[in-house]
Amino acid sequence: MLQKIEISSIDQIDRQAADQAASALELGKVVLFPQLAFPLAAGERRIISQDNATSDSKNISFNPQDATLKGSTLPVRDQNELIDLLTRFGDFAEALVCAIAPQYRSGLARMRTSFRPVEIAGRNYSWRKDDRRRHVDAFPSSPTQGARILRVFANVDQHETPRTWRVGPDFETYAKAFLPKTTRQLPGLAGLMALTGITKSRRSLYDQIMLGLHDAAKRDLTWQAATPAEEIGFLPGHIWMAYTDQVPHSVLSGRNALEQTFIVSRNVLQRPEQSPAAIISRLRGVDCLPG
Ligand code: SIN
Ligand code: FE
């Protein structure tokens, strides 16, 4: 479930490396660039090495659409420096995605950029927020209606701490295990949630099923323990990306990561037949995408 691409700058991505990375992504693999570090300036290193998140939030996030930073207790001057860093990482991640899959450019929306300072191991989370349990990503308040969730990560820890993930099984195996446990949405609820602002747009059947697949897996500790996974240690300096709505993943340990989320429109995918929506529709025998 891991595809390594050995390049040391985005300019080195030729046609062959791009095709290899884009196909691996759409087939549900994690694509790792072990040599492609995202360099930090001295001031940025100082910000990363201080005590960074508020006690109730695990991440600090920057929303490029309205230029707001959430979850930080840093003094204003440092917050501005952090915003610059997150913007620079967002630009880097966008350039990387566009180099790998130029056809995504017309269907790519840049969402939040996050800084994840807090050590994952040993914290307490509610089961639904516990990313130490394997899951596929789905957003309760931001339905995608079949568009895809692509995430780019960098480990920027200054002390050689790896960020450890477990990935697997493939999406179809995962979906077969949990589709029977997903529940139907009450008639009228999708419209009501959109109208009252609980969701930013209408929660489609696809979104409802994806949330169900997220929750059912996190709830099932027997499945979590019994189902084999591949463990990957992402070292400081590593850059990696994945369609996290397709690759079952958990994070076991690590601190100080940067992350950029993109929403990718379905109509720019190279292999739409491999997407979660196509697999769910096939397994269910109904089209789960909005018409
Ligand atoms: C997740 O998406 O489950 C968390 C990944 C991470 O923070 O490394
Ligand atoms: Fe996740």
Side-chain angles (χ1 to χ4, degrees):
M1 300 205 69
L2 183 67
Q3 172 72 60
K4 282 191 195 169
I5 308 270
E6 307 279 348
I7 46 153
S8 53
S9 80
I10 294 178
D11 306 341
Q12 283 175 6
I13 298 175
D14 56 15
R15 184 71 190 267
Q16 193 198 354
D19 286 349
Q20 201 178 23
S23 322
L25 276 180
E26 293 199 18
L27 290 169
K29 294 187 183 175
V30 174
V31 177
L32 169 62
F33 301 90
Q35 321 291 345
L36 184 65
F38 173 70
L40 297 177
E44 295 172 338
R45 279 201 287 276
R46 181 183 57 80
I47 290 185
I48 280 176
S49 47
Q50 33 187 306
D51 183 15
N52 270 299
T54 56
S55 51
D56 57 346
S57 76
K58 50 181 181 176
N59 300 333
I60 300 175
S61 68
F62 177 65
N63 181 347
Q65 273 141 19
D66 61 8
T68 50
L69 189 70
K70 276 200 194 139
S72 165
T73 49
L74 292 172
V76 174
R77 193 179 67 94
D78 289 352
Q79 287 198 11
N80 289 335
E81 204 156 344
L82 182 58
I83 290 174
D84 289 348
L85 166 62
L86 293 176
T87 304
R88 200 162 66 74
F89 181 66
D91 292 344
F92 170 87
E94 189 172 334
L96 179 60
V97 169
C98 291
I100 283 165
Q103 76 280 13
Y104 282 5
R105 193 181 285 279
S106 62
L108 195 67
R110 179 156 148 192
M111 313 306 281
R112 283 170 208 278
T113 318
S114 67
F115 172 42
R116 304 177 172 208
V118 181
E119 172 55 54
I120 301 284
R123 285 195 87 202
N124 287 322
Y125 309 89
S126 65
W127 66 268
R128 196 178 262 128
K129 288 201 169 153
D130 192 350
D131 292 337
R132 295 171 304 182
R133 301 178 186 200
R134 263 173 291 159
H135 61 282
V136 290
D137 288 346
F139 301 140
S141 60
S142 303
T144 72
Q145 283 144 354
R148 308 294 311 281
I149 303 172
L150 177 62
R151 291 186 142 155
V152 180
F153 294 84
N155 183 344
V156 290
D157 191 65
Q158 304 296 303
H159 301 279
E160 299 306 310
T161 319
R163 195 171 192 84
T164 311
W165 279 26
R166 296 185 77 215
V167 296
D170 63 275
F171 184 82
E172 183 156 342
T173 305
Y174 175 94
K176 279 183 180 153
F178 295 113
L179 269 178
K181 299 191 176 158
T182 59
T183 51
R184 280 173 195 278
Q185 188 160 249
L186 294 175
L189 188 62
L192 191 66
M193 288 192 301
L195 206 65
T196 53
I198 294 175
T199 55
K200 291 186 187 119
S201 58
R202 203 181 166 84
R203 189 182 283 172
S204 64
L205 176 61
Y206 172 75
D207 294 293
Q208 170 74 7
I209 292 173
M210 291 299 287
L211 283 171
L213 294 179
H214 169 275
D215 287 2
K218 281 191 173 173
R219 270 202 160 112
D220 191 340
L221 292 178
T222 311
W223 180 88
Q224 294 281 342
T227 308
E230 183 175 338
E231 191 161 308
I232 311 173
F234 300 108
L235 300 175
H238 283 182
I239 304 292
W240 67 102
M241 62 167 83
Y243 274 115
T244 56
D245 55 5
Q246 181 175 9
V247 186
H249 61 282
S250 58
V251 56
L252 300 189
S253 65
R255 56 183 187 185
N256 291 327
L258 299 173
E259 174 271 338
Q260 174 63 54
T261 301
F262 297 96
I263 297 293
V264 182
S265 155
R266 274 186 62 73
N267 52 32
V268 296
L269 296 176
Q270 288 175 354
R271 300 166 185 262
E273 75 289 352
Q274 305 284 350
S275 67
I279 293 172
I280 292 167
S281 298
R282 179 159 53 73
L283 293 175
R284 271 282 182 94
V286 289
D287 184 1
C288 68
L289 288 172

